[in-house]
Amino acid sequence: MFPYKSIIQIHKSNETPVYLQIANAFAREIQNGVLKPGTKLPGARSLAVLVEVHRNTIAAVYEELSMQGYIELLPKKGAFISKRIPDIKPKPVGSKTRVITYPVASGFLIKEKTSLPEIGLVKKSVLEFNDGLPDERIAPLDDLMRNYRSSFKRRGRIQFGYSDTEGNPMLREAISGYLNETRGLQTTGENIFITKGSQMGIFLVSQLLLDKKDVVIVGETSYPAADTAFKYAGASLVRVKIDERGIDVDAIEKICKTKSIRAVYVTPHHHYPTTVTLSACRRMSLLALSERYGFAIIEDDYDYDFHYKSSPILPLASGDHEGMVINIGSLSKNFSPALRVAYIVAPKNVIAELAKLRFIIDRQGDYLLEQALAELFKEGVIKRHLRKALNIYHERRDILCDLLKTKLSGAVNFNVPDGGLAVWTEFDKSRSLKAITMRAAKNGLVLNDGSHYDEGKNNLNATRLGFASMNAGELEKAVRILSGAISSK
Amino acid sequence: MFPYKSIIQIHKSNETPVYLQIANAFAREIQNGVLKPGTKLPGARSLAVLVEVHRNTIAAVYEELSMQGYIELLPKKGAFISKRIPDIKPKPVGSKTRVITYPVASGFLIKEKTSLPEIGLVKKSVLEFNDGLPDERIAPLDDLMRNYRSSFKRRGRIQFGYSDTEGNPMLREAISGYLNETRGLQTTGENIFITKGSQMGIFLVSQLLLDKKDVVIVGETSYPAADTAFKYAGASLVRVKIDERGIDVDAIEKICKTKSIRAVYVTPHHHYPTTVTLSACRRMSLLALSERYGFAIIEDDYDYDFHYKSSPILPLASGDHEGMVINIGSLSKNFSPALRVAYIVAPKNVIAELAKLRFIIDRQGDYLLEQALAELFKEGVIKRHLRKALNIYHERRDILCDLLKTKLSGAVNFNVPDGGLAVWTEFDKSRSLKAITMRAAKNGLVLNDGSHYDEGKNNLNATRLGFASMNAGELEKAVRILSGAISSK
């Protein structure tokens, strides 16, 4: 007889009832082709003795298997594996020691649709010169939680049902008002589309605008996650020089004369990664070019609110009357990277298309979190926090720049950034930043070797040193480790 | 002289300082091509008198504009619009009454990459036969909030920094354990990828597997949002008949013999929309076919946990030893549509590719919410809730079926569903469901006219009547309105 006892393992502590555990064991062996169609199963009484359960339990097993279609119960004849079950090449025969495992790899092909980069996440709870992240320790998280909770308590279907794909209407209004007041825009809530982080904004816009054969202009140094999204949508990239006044708009004009350009991606307030601000003249020239040649300007204002020299420069979108600019901003920089709320500012027809697109990606955002944020805007908490954060980050920028000047003089070269949350730092070419990075990591300081800012093409030997998430003591400690990593060989 | 007073509007109550309001007004008119390069601006004293502010304010305005690059301050000569500013064709001249508005439409072209369907969201707070949504009023939302809050309070960088794109490791482990116990799987946490709702699962899998020219088999009636995701990825669909034992696997085999099939999309536990369960024999045949022809099976177990007749049938994934099945499940059905947490179960190499893909879409999910859910699993709250919900929904299914039988007899035809959260209801062909739907809506009952379940090809005159989100009284009221809508002309 088939070794039934060996295929049936009963765990009494398991939540699944015993009869179902046994039925599932049978189903598995039928699926494995071990128990063949037409096979007669043992009588309930003898199987009950064999596996040490009550006879009624086995009766329930057979009932279940019959209902699921695995076996047929023939009156007076007994239980048979259904003849409608296909004949399967048997998998290794069951034994008590056999471990059934989940497949280790897919049996179907996965296409390399595009070479997506490997994900490198930084280890937590070490000192880190990150890319320019905010300090969540100073963020008004308690206020956020208070509002989140009270939204949660309201419990209506509005809170807990499906909601607008474009985002929470209150937050769209709040952001519109904030942008109109601080960035010289003339939007209404209908021009605002809420996304999960600016990455989703960039992804949605890429999918909406780009197709195979389209060309996107980006900086010679650029934001790799945006570049990847453009390439994923099928576009090819043309890189343009960045100098101390931002992206070279004359060079863009030359390119436009020779080929059709679909979009230009810029981070004009503080160029990513080098932090330079696009000059007023170039802004106006770029807008004029976009009108002439019909390309879209994707303006990524990722850390707009943090500008220390003069006031923030008005975004390109504020001077756009022809609907050439799609502006992307983020609230994550005000709180923490984990709170992934950002927004796209665009004419209404663009917003409508974005909504259709997002509907098939993830349908909607986090209504409750968005409502809590909207209330923080209304209460003035966001503005108060931004003023406070601006002061703190301004101070931290000065502390870091001072440390770099006094402790690393000769080894690094940098300009004090007018804004943003990181210092673009060039290391002396005689010292490999890659090696420095590895030595620093061993001593508990994580920093980026900067090679991905230009696809590793030129040996930049430069990186962004984010200062906002560290206080004075941490910055000092970090620079000390960095200094050690530079001098040791 | 240029009418400076007319372009400058000062709002003292505005958060933006007065000097900056004036500077922004100048910047705007320069951008508009109204103030031309080389133009000499009035002296600080005379402008101050003109717009009724202190002379120092105007000095600050010119300082700001100079820093931003709009003007040049020449010693002893005064302030001039920078000659580096490009000459722009002027927009309508400024006047006090001119309203500057945001562009009403994009100036660049938006391609119709694919015909994305219009989004139709149901109006809130009316009676609704929805698609089969849970009742958030019985969900353990307070427990969820308690855990969310305590995660929030921990405040570490783990909670508030960037986190794993694959999802919160605790939740991946918890779901793996739950699936192994209830669905006969043998996964580890590494086989689980957390998504924002099952829609994102379907979208990610589509993007990963499908390309132009690929063919996906779906049911003759199918889940429209999945179909759209497949088409968006470039695939074409082949539709296969659904009968009372689920999708016709023999028909699938025939197609495989004539063309290359990339994937088969099924909802085997309760077919969407008709709720029939795929028979055991067909499951095994489908798996065998996938191994023979190399297509992937996308198994969408959207409402797996709710099965009233016999025990839940083990998913296809439980019988898959060759890595042919990608299983998608959702936790939203346990709580509410607004809590968008679902998961993909797949071999590790698939998980790794999914992570790279998601990284460029929105980088990561909601770590805190996922942690709160993981703790609910650990505490046993989820299991307790599912048992309770199963009983309640079972009862509501019976109430609705009883009402349909007694109140709408002759007008509708249906089978009592073995599981799921909706009754597939065919309306007598002599009565147009579209007309019934419109009449019902006028009387406060929203229901779906069902035309999108098969792209409106056959006149199904049938729809899903979701029963789970309504209690006995609400169901009775809904059927009363429906009955009225059927009989009135």
Short mmCIF file of all heavy atoms in Angstrom, two decimals, chain B residues 432-470:
data_model
loop_
_atom_site.label_atom_id
_atom_site.label_comp_id
_atom_site.label_asym_id
_atom_site.label_seq_id
_atom_site.Cartn_x
_atom_site.Cartn_y
_atom_site.Cartn_z
N SER B 432 -33.28 46.16 -19.46
CA SER B 432 -31.90 46.64 -19.64
C SER B 432 -31.29 47.04 -18.30
O SER B 432 -31.80 47.89 -17.58
CB SER B 432 -31.91 47.84 -20.58
OG SER B 432 -30.84 48.71 -20.26
N LEU B 433 -30.15 46.40 -17.99
CA LEU B 433 -29.47 46.71 -16.73
C LEU B 433 -28.98 48.16 -16.70
O LEU B 433 -28.93 48.79 -15.66
CB LEU B 433 -28.31 45.73 -16.52
CG LEU B 433 -27.49 45.87 -15.25
CD1 LEU B 433 -28.37 45.94 -14.01
CD2 LEU B 433 -26.51 44.73 -15.11
N LYS B 434 -28.62 48.67 -17.87
CA LYS B 434 -28.17 50.06 -17.95
C LYS B 434 -29.29 50.99 -17.49
O LYS B 434 -29.06 51.91 -16.69
CB LYS B 434 -27.79 50.38 -19.39
CG LYS B 434 -26.71 51.41 -19.48
CD LYS B 434 -26.14 51.55 -20.87
CE LYS B 434 -24.78 52.21 -20.78
NZ LYS B 434 -23.71 51.43 -21.34
N ALA B 435 -30.49 50.74 -17.96
CA ALA B 435 -31.64 51.57 -17.58
C ALA B 435 -31.96 51.39 -16.10
O ALA B 435 -32.24 52.36 -15.37
CB ALA B 435 -32.85 51.22 -18.44
N ILE B 436 -31.91 50.14 -15.65
CA ILE B 436 -32.17 49.86 -14.23
C ILE B 436 -31.18 50.63 -13.35
O ILE B 436 -31.54 51.25 -12.35
CB ILE B 436 -32.08 48.34 -13.96
CG1 ILE B 436 -33.21 47.60 -14.68
CG2 ILE B 436 -32.10 48.04 -12.46
CD1 ILE B 436 -33.06 46.07 -14.67
N THR B 437 -29.91 50.58 -13.77
CA THR B 437 -28.85 51.25 -13.02
C THR B 437 -29.11 52.74 -12.90
O THR B 437 -28.95 53.33 -11.83
CB THR B 437 -27.51 50.99 -13.73
OG1 THR B 437 -27.29 49.58 -13.77
CG2 THR B 437 -26.37 51.66 -13.02
N MET B 438 -29.56 53.32 -13.98
CA MET B 438 -29.81 54.77 -13.95
C MET B 438 -31.01 55.11 -13.06
O MET B 438 -30.97 56.07 -12.32
CB MET B 438 -29.99 55.30 -15.37
CG MET B 438 -28.64 55.31 -16.13
SD MET B 438 -28.70 56.22 -17.70
CE MET B 438 -29.94 55.30 -18.58
N ARG B 439 -32.04 54.28 -13.13
CA ARG B 439 -33.20 54.53 -12.27
C ARG B 439 -32.85 54.34 -10.80
O ARG B 439 -33.26 55.11 -9.94
CB ARG B 439 -34.37 53.62 -12.68
CG ARG B 439 -35.04 54.05 -13.99
CD ARG B 439 -36.41 53.37 -14.16
NE ARG B 439 -36.30 51.92 -14.30
CZ ARG B 439 -36.19 51.29 -15.48
NH1 ARG B 439 -36.15 51.98 -16.60
NH2 ARG B 439 -36.11 49.98 -15.53
N ALA B 440 -32.06 53.30 -10.52
CA ALA B 440 -31.67 53.03 -9.13
C ALA B 440 -30.86 54.19 -8.57
O ALA B 440 -31.05 54.61 -7.42
CB ALA B 440 -30.89 51.73 -9.04
N ALA B 441 -29.96 54.73 -9.40
CA ALA B 441 -29.10 55.82 -8.95
C ALA B 441 -29.93 57.02 -8.52
O ALA B 441 -29.62 57.70 -7.53
CB ALA B 441 -28.12 56.20 -10.04
N LYS B 442 -31.02 57.27 -9.25
CA LYS B 442 -31.89 58.39 -8.89
C LYS B 442 -32.53 58.20 -7.54
O LYS B 442 -32.87 59.15 -6.84
CB LYS B 442 -32.99 58.55 -9.96
CG LYS B 442 -32.51 59.36 -11.14
CD LYS B 442 -33.65 59.65 -12.10
CE LYS B 442 -33.11 59.94 -13.49
NZ LYS B 442 -33.93 59.36 -14.55
N ASN B 443 -32.72 56.93 -7.16
CA ASN B 443 -33.32 56.65 -5.86
C ASN B 443 -32.29 56.32 -4.77
O ASN B 443 -32.63 55.74 -3.75
CB ASN B 443 -34.33 55.50 -6.00
CG ASN B 443 -35.51 55.93 -6.86
OD1 ASN B 443 -36.07 57.00 -6.66
ND2 ASN B 443 -35.86 55.10 -7.83
N GLY B 444 -31.02 56.66 -5.05
CA GLY B 444 -30.02 56.55 -3.99
C GLY B 444 -29.31 55.21 -3.90
O GLY B 444 -28.67 54.92 -2.90
N LEU B 445 -29.40 54.39 -4.93
CA LEU B 445 -28.65 53.13 -4.93
C LEU B 445 -27.72 53.10 -6.14
O LEU B 445 -28.16 53.14 -7.28
CB LEU B 445 -29.61 51.92 -5.00
CG LEU B 445 -28.89 50.57 -5.20
CD1 LEU B 445 -28.12 50.17 -3.95
CD2 LEU B 445 -29.87 49.48 -5.60
N VAL B 446 -26.41 53.01 -5.84
CA VAL B 446 -25.44 52.93 -6.92
C VAL B 446 -25.16 51.47 -7.21
O VAL B 446 -24.93 50.68 -6.30
CB VAL B 446 -24.14 53.65 -6.52
CG1 VAL B 446 -23.03 53.36 -7.52
CG2 VAL B 446 -24.39 55.16 -6.41
N LEU B 447 -25.23 51.07 -8.46
CA LEU B 447 -24.69 49.77 -8.86
C LEU B 447 -24.12 49.89 -10.26
O LEU B 447 -24.34 50.87 -10.97
CB LEU B 447 -25.71 48.64 -8.76
CG LEU B 447 -26.83 48.47 -9.79
CD1 LEU B 447 -27.36 47.05 -9.72
CD2 LEU B 447 -27.95 49.44 -9.52
N ASN B 448 -23.32 48.89 -10.58
CA ASN B 448 -22.54 48.86 -11.79
C ASN B 448 -23.37 48.24 -12.90
O ASN B 448 -24.04 47.24 -12.67
CB ASN B 448 -21.37 47.93 -11.47
CG ASN B 448 -20.24 48.15 -12.38
OD1 ASN B 448 -20.44 48.19 -13.58
ND2 ASN B 448 -19.06 48.30 -11.82
N ASP B 449 -23.32 48.79 -14.12
CA ASP B 449 -24.13 48.17 -15.18
C ASP B 449 -23.44 46.97 -15.82
O ASP B 449 -24.00 46.34 -16.72
CB ASP B 449 -24.56 49.20 -16.23
CG ASP B 449 -23.41 49.65 -17.10
OD1 ASP B 449 -22.34 49.02 -17.06
OD2 ASP B 449 -23.57 50.63 -17.82
N GLY B 450 -22.23 46.66 -15.35
CA GLY B 450 -21.57 45.41 -15.74
C GLY B 450 -21.01 45.37 -17.15
O GLY B 450 -20.40 44.37 -17.55
N SER B 451 -21.14 46.46 -17.90
CA SER B 451 -20.73 46.40 -19.30
C SER B 451 -19.21 46.29 -19.45
O SER B 451 -18.73 45.83 -20.48
CB SER B 451 -21.24 47.63 -20.05
OG SER B 451 -20.77 48.80 -19.42
N HIS B 452 -18.46 46.69 -18.44
CA HIS B 452 -17.00 46.68 -18.60
C HIS B 452 -16.37 45.32 -18.29
O HIS B 452 -15.18 45.13 -18.45
CB HIS B 452 -16.36 47.77 -17.75
CG HIS B 452 -16.49 47.54 -16.28
ND1 HIS B 452 -17.70 47.28 -15.68
CD2 HIS B 452 -15.56 47.50 -15.29
CE1 HIS B 452 -17.51 47.11 -14.38
NE2 HIS B 452 -16.24 47.24 -14.13
N TYR B 453 -17.16 44.34 -17.85
CA TYR B 453 -16.57 43.03 -17.51
C TYR B 453 -16.11 42.27 -18.74
O TYR B 453 -15.32 41.35 -18.65
CB TYR B 453 -17.58 42.17 -16.74
CG TYR B 453 -17.92 42.71 -15.38
CD1 TYR B 453 -19.24 42.90 -15.00
CD2 TYR B 453 -16.91 43.03 -14.47
CE1 TYR B 453 -19.56 43.40 -13.74
CE2 TYR B 453 -17.23 43.53 -13.23
CZ TYR B 453 -18.55 43.72 -12.87
OH TYR B 453 -18.84 44.22 -11.63
N ASP B 454 -16.68 42.61 -19.89
CA ASP B 454 -16.24 41.95 -21.13
C ASP B 454 -16.09 42.97 -22.23
O ASP B 454 -16.31 42.69 -23.40
CB ASP B 454 -17.22 40.84 -21.55
CG ASP B 454 -18.54 41.42 -22.08
OD1 ASP B 454 -18.84 42.59 -21.75
OD2 ASP B 454 -19.23 40.73 -22.83
N GLU B 455 -15.68 44.16 -21.85
CA GLU B 455 -15.49 45.27 -22.80
C GLU B 455 -16.78 45.56 -23.55
O GLU B 455 -16.75 46.06 -24.67
CB GLU B 455 -14.37 44.95 -23.80
CG GLU B 455 -13.03 44.73 -23.12
CD GLU B 455 -11.93 44.37 -24.12
OE1 GLU B 455 -12.22 43.60 -25.06
OE2 GLU B 455 -10.80 44.85 -23.95
N GLY B 456 -17.91 45.24 -22.92
CA GLY B 456 -19.20 45.52 -23.54
C GLY B 456 -19.50 44.72 -24.80
O GLY B 456 -20.38 45.08 -25.58
N LYS B 457 -18.73 43.64 -25.02
CA LYS B 457 -18.87 42.91 -26.28
C LYS B 457 -20.19 42.17 -26.39
O LYS B 457 -20.92 42.29 -27.36
CB LYS B 457 -17.72 41.92 -26.43
CG LYS B 457 -16.50 42.59 -27.06
CD LYS B 457 -15.35 41.61 -27.19
CE LYS B 457 -14.07 42.34 -27.55
NZ LYS B 457 -12.89 41.64 -27.10
N ASN B 458 -20.47 41.34 -25.40
CA ASN B 458 -21.75 40.65 -25.39
C ASN B 458 -22.64 41.45 -24.46
O ASN B 458 -22.18 42.02 -23.48
CB ASN B 458 -21.56 39.23 -24.83
CG ASN B 458 -20.47 38.50 -25.55
OD1 ASN B 458 -20.54 38.28 -26.74
ND2 ASN B 458 -19.39 38.17 -24.82
N ASN B 459 -23.89 41.44 -24.73
CA ASN B 459 -24.78 42.13 -23.83
C ASN B 459 -25.02 41.24 -22.61
O ASN B 459 -25.97 40.49 -22.55
CB ASN B 459 -26.09 42.45 -24.55
CG ASN B 459 -27.06 43.13 -23.61
OD1 ASN B 459 -26.65 43.67 -22.58
ND2 ASN B 459 -28.33 43.07 -23.95
N LEU B 460 -24.08 41.30 -21.65
CA LEU B 460 -24.17 40.40 -20.49
C LEU B 460 -25.45 40.63 -19.70
O LEU B 460 -26.08 39.72 -19.21
CB LEU B 460 -22.97 40.61 -19.55
CG LEU B 460 -21.59 40.21 -20.06
CD1 LEU B 460 -20.54 40.62 -19.03
CD2 LEU B 460 -21.51 38.70 -20.29
N ASN B 461 -25.80 41.91 -19.57
CA ASN B 461 -26.93 42.31 -18.73
C ASN B 461 -26.80 41.69 -17.33
O ASN B 461 -27.77 41.21 -16.74
CB ASN B 461 -28.27 41.90 -19.37
CG ASN B 461 -29.34 42.96 -19.15
OD1 ASN B 461 -29.09 44.16 -19.30
ND2 ASN B 461 -30.53 42.54 -18.74
N ALA B 462 -25.58 41.68 -16.82
CA ALA B 462 -25.29 41.05 -15.53
C ALA B 462 -24.28 41.90 -14.79
O ALA B 462 -23.52 42.65 -15.40
CB ALA B 462 -24.72 39.66 -15.75
N THR B 463 -24.29 41.79 -13.48
CA THR B 463 -23.33 42.55 -12.70
C THR B 463 -23.01 41.87 -11.39
O THR B 463 -23.65 40.88 -11.01
CB THR B 463 -23.84 43.99 -12.44
OG1 THR B 463 -22.74 44.79 -11.99
CG2 THR B 463 -24.94 44.01 -11.38
N ARG B 464 -21.99 42.39 -10.72
CA ARG B 464 -21.64 41.91 -9.38
C ARG B 464 -22.40 42.73 -8.35
O ARG B 464 -22.32 43.95 -8.36
CB ARG B 464 -20.14 42.07 -9.14
CG ARG B 464 -19.28 41.04 -9.83
CD ARG B 464 -17.82 41.46 -9.85
NE ARG B 464 -17.18 41.42 -8.52
CZ ARG B 464 -16.65 40.33 -7.99
NH1 ARG B 464 -16.68 39.17 -8.63
NH2 ARG B 464 -16.08 40.37 -6.79
N LEU B 465 -23.12 42.06 -7.48
CA LEU B 465 -23.77 42.75 -6.38
C LEU B 465 -22.97 42.45 -5.11
O LEU B 465 -23.09 41.36 -4.53
CB LEU B 465 -25.23 42.30 -6.23
CG LEU B 465 -26.16 42.56 -7.43
CD1 LEU B 465 -27.58 42.10 -7.12
CD2 LEU B 465 -26.17 44.04 -7.82
N GLY B 466 -22.15 43.39 -4.70
CA GLY B 466 -21.34 43.21 -3.50
C GLY B 466 -22.23 43.28 -2.27
O GLY B 466 -23.03 44.20 -2.13
N PHE B 467 -22.08 42.29 -1.40
CA PHE B 467 -22.96 42.24 -0.22
C PHE B 467 -22.22 42.51 1.08
O PHE B 467 -22.84 42.76 2.11
CB PHE B 467 -23.65 40.87 -0.14
CG PHE B 467 -22.68 39.70 -0.22
CD1 PHE B 467 -21.89 39.35 0.86
CD2 PHE B 467 -22.57 38.97 -1.40
CE1 PHE B 467 -21.00 38.29 0.77
CE2 PHE B 467 -21.68 37.90 -1.49
CZ PHE B 467 -20.89 37.56 -0.40
N ALA B 468 -20.89 42.47 1.05
CA ALA B 468 -20.14 42.45 2.31
C ALA B 468 -20.19 43.78 3.06
O ALA B 468 -20.15 43.81 4.29
CB ALA B 468 -18.70 42.04 2.05
N SER B 469 -20.31 44.87 2.33
CA SER B 469 -20.21 46.17 3.00
C SER B 469 -21.56 46.67 3.52
O SER B 469 -21.63 47.76 4.08
CB SER B 469 -19.60 47.19 2.06
OG SER B 469 -20.40 47.32 0.90
N MET B 470 -22.61 45.88 3.34
CA MET B 470 -23.92 46.31 3.83
C MET B 470 -24.44 45.36 4.89
O MET B 470 -24.31 44.14 4.76
CB MET B 470 -24.92 46.37 2.66
CG MET B 470 -24.68 47.57 1.76
SD MET B 470 -26.06 47.87 0.61
CE MET B 470 -25.55 46.90 -0.79
#
